[in-house]
Amino acid sequence: MLILVLGKGKTGSLVAEVARERGHGVRALDIDENRHASALTAPQLAGVDVVVDFTAPEAAVENMRAVLALGGHIVVGTTGWYAKVNELKALAIQRGGGLLYGTNFSIGVQKLFSLTAELAQLEDYKFSIEETHHTTKVDAPSGTALTLKEIILAVRPGIDVPVTSHRVGDAKGEHVVRAVSDHDALELRHDAHSRRGFALGAVRGAEWLAGKSGAWEFREIFGQL
Ligand SMILES: NC(=O)c1ccc[n+]([C@@H]2O[C@H](COP(=O)([O-])OP(=O)(O)OC[C@H]3O[C@@H](n4cnc5c(N)ncnc54)[C@H](O)[C@@H]3O)[C@@H](O)[C@H]2O)c1
């Protein structure tokens, strides 16, 4: 399979490494080679099975528009663009392209999502979320924290779920979900020690997406990997 990685930053460079290790052909472009999605033309995408995007929110939207308009396939790890998710899902479906996106491609966080749905079943508890990331992260709260909140609200609509964000050094991503009652407290915690977990999930997602038409969030299809 030929994978085109957009973004040679902290995560994109690991995606390229993991994809090569798994036997895929890899091309990678950073902003100088792909400003405003300039490299995502039909001739440039010929032969590319899946594009993987770990760039920045605005760039990711431009990249998705270009790839999906051509009926291509794109895995989007970039967060902070979800106000446009319906438009981009519709474009994927209209053009017969494939879109797979997720706030967190790590396998451990997928387990945190399902445990959070279980925790949210508790009655008479107050829920809160705390996240810590590196100081160069653009969006706050993190996309993962927002997904955790969405999962709790799906079980308990209308409750207040405060989210606290911290930006510290090179922190790779910590998320804590707390449930506190008058009598006790529970905590679910996930700490990413390395970015390789995100990269592996994104490459496995790309392998799954190749040749499919439609739009999916990673947690919907995670069980099929
Ligand atoms: N979903 C997940 O599992 C997950 C995991 C880690 C990071 N992320 C997200 O991925 C994104 C990138 O994170 P990072 O830590 O790797 O950032 P980073 O800043 O280290 O790297 C981003 C790279 O993208 C490049 N870029 C910007 N516009 C581009 C364009 N049009 N074409 C090609 N390259 C372009 C930048 O020059 C930079 O090198 C962020 O939104 C982050 O929140 C998501």
Side-chain angles (χ1 to χ4, degrees), residues 34-122:
N34 184 48
R35 201 172 291 277
H36 299 307
S38 55
L40 305 177
T41 59
Q44 296 260 29
L45 289 177
V48 171
D49 295 289
V50 182
V51 178
V52 179
D53 183 302
F54 278 89
T55 60
E58 281 179 18
V61 169
E62 292 173 344
N63 293 336
M64 279 182 270
R65 282 191 182 130
V67 171
L68 294 172
L70 292 166
H73 294 78
I74 185 164
V75 172
V76 182
T78 305
T79 56
W81 56 271
Y82 303 113
K84 305 223 161 63
V85 71
N86 288 336
E87 170 203 326
L88 292 154
K89 283 165 94 165
L91 184 62
I93 292 159
Q94 247 172 42
R95 301 295 175 97
L99 170 63
L100 178 63
Y101 64 96
T103 55
N104 202 307
F105 278 87
S106 118
I107 282 147
V109 166
Q110 295 304 314
K111 181 51 82 176
L112 176 69
F113 288 161
S114 54
L115 291 171
T116 298
E118 205 177 309
L119 191 69
Q121 303 287 341
L122 284 172

